[in-house]
Amino acid sequence: MRDLQNKTYWIVGASEGLGRALAIQLAEVGAKVIISARNEERLIELSEEIGSSSLVLPMDVTKESSVRSAYRKLPRTLDGFIYVSGVYWHMSASSWDREKAEEMVDVNLVGAMRCLAHLVPKFMKQGSGHIVLTGSIAGYRGLPGSVGYCASKAGLMSLAETLKIDLSKSNIDVQLLNPGYIKTRLTDKNPYKKIYVMTPEEAAQFSVMHMRSNRFQSSFPRIFSIISKIIKNFPDWLYFKIFS
């Protein structure tokens, strides 16, 4: 079981939702957290709530210059990196919004790659590291009204698998979190009824428990995850008949 006490984690996407709750819970178990997001005001509020075991590092993951600047301010030794940044809009292919679709992919997937381009060499040089990426149960298969979001999360989940394989002979551990619905400002945008909705605090508990384990992937809540995995394995003809 991984010991998180006195470890330093960089949490990107910490201003709201799961990222915010995760920062608080990691600090409670004795970790030091570096918190990043675009909203500096919210980060300062979070840092004041956590106390001295936190460091505010504002950053915009859609801009390489901002990522590079934040990276240079990181401590010499960093134990782990958690990517929770995400944006979402309910969007059907028949009502395509180019800017929003591209922003979902840019923030949810490409932003992680911008950070990892700096962090993977750092972890390899120091001989250790812990990478935690946040996919989604929505990334299992394409879903109606999810242009941009499903694609971005499926891409991030695939990226995590590739990193796990490529870094398997190093001392860099890679883990993937696949939450279902979390009660946040993002999921509140959904025009349909949601099931098995977790609070950010509940999702953070699942996340910390997974980070302490040696497993690669964790999907939660469990019942919703099981249902989604069954649907994932439906034959194409049945899947498209149901969801079309």
Side-chain angles (χ1 to χ4, degrees):
M1 182 176 285
R2 180 178 288 105
D3 184 10
L4 302 175
Q5 190 171 16
N6 296 321
K7 297 294 191 297
T8 301
Y9 277 84
W10 185 23
I11 307 175
V12 177
S15 62
E16 304 290 342
L18 174 57
R20 188 179 186 87
L22 192 50
I24 292 170
Q25 292 194 25
L26 283 173
E28 287 177 349
V29 299
K32 299 175 182 178
V33 292
I34 302 167
I35 49 177
S36 291
R38 285 183 279 198
N39 192 328
E40 184 174 5
E41 183 178 342
R42 289 289 286 161
L43 291 176
I44 292 172
E45 291 175 2
L46 175 59
S47 181
E48 291 174 349
E49 180 177 349
I50 292 174
S52 59
S53 59
S54 64
L55 172 66
V56 172
L57 192 59
M59 180 179 72
D60 183 349
V61 298
T62 67
K63 298 178 181 178
E64 168 57 24
S65 59
S66 180
V67 174
R68 190 186 316 116
S69 176
Y71 170 77
R72 289 172 177 169
K73 296 173 184 175
L74 293 173
R76 184 179 298 273
T77 300
L78 182 70
D79 297 293
F81 166 70
I82 307 171
Y83 194 82
V84 205
S85 282
V87 294
Y88 167 79
W89 289 276
H90 182 79
M91 185 189 306
S92 170
S94 60
S95 56
W96 199 292
D97 184 316
R98 180 186 61 81
E99 290 185 358
K100 289 180 179 177
E102 291 179 3
E103 185 174 353
M104 280 187 272
V105 176
D106 198 11
V107 173
N108 301 355
L109 173 59
V110 182
M113 299 182 79
R114 289 190 183 96
C115 296
L116 289 166
H118 298 281
L119 287 167
V120 171
K122 176 182 179 68
F123 286 157
M124 293 186 72
K125 184 177 180 180
Q126 72 182 30
S128 65
H130 184 198
I131 297 170
V132 182
L133 301 182
T134 308
S136 171
I137 288 177
Y140 287 161
R141 293 192 76 160
L143 294 171
S146 297
V147 167
Y149 188 75
C150 282
S152 68
K153 288 300 184 179
L156 194 65
M157 292 158 73
S158 177
L159 173 62
E161 292 177 341
T162 299
L163 289 171
K164 181 70 174 178
I165 294 168
D166 285 350
L167 300 174
S168 61
K169 294 181 180 179
S170 69
N171 195 32
I172 303 171
D173 194 15
V174 180
Q175 290 185 306
L176 176 63
L177 301 168
N178 295 325
Y181 292 117
I182 302 174
K183 176 67 176 174
T184 67
R185 57 191 172 84
L186 297 184
T187 55
D188 285 343
K189 297 177 182 180
N190 284 322
Y192 53 84
K193 184 178 180 180
K194 300 173 285 294
I195 60 174
Y196 302 110
V197 181
M198 298 175 290
T199 65
E201 291 73 24
E202 290 170 334
Q205 288 176 0
F206 277 105
S207 301
V208 171
M209 188 164 38
H210 180 60
M211 287 174 61
R212 283 175 157 161
S213 76
N214 294 319
R215 290 176 293 123
F216 165 65
Q217 183 172 194
S218 177
S219 300
F220 50 87
R222 184 170 178 77
I223 296 177
F224 191 26
S225 170
I226 292 172
I227 294 171
S228 298
K229 286 178 180 177
I230 292 172
I231 294 173
K232 175 185 177 183
N233 292 311
F234 280 178
D236 290 344
W237 68 267
L238 178 59
Y239 183 80
F240 291 126
K241 183 176 182 179
I242 293 172
F243 284 93
S244 296

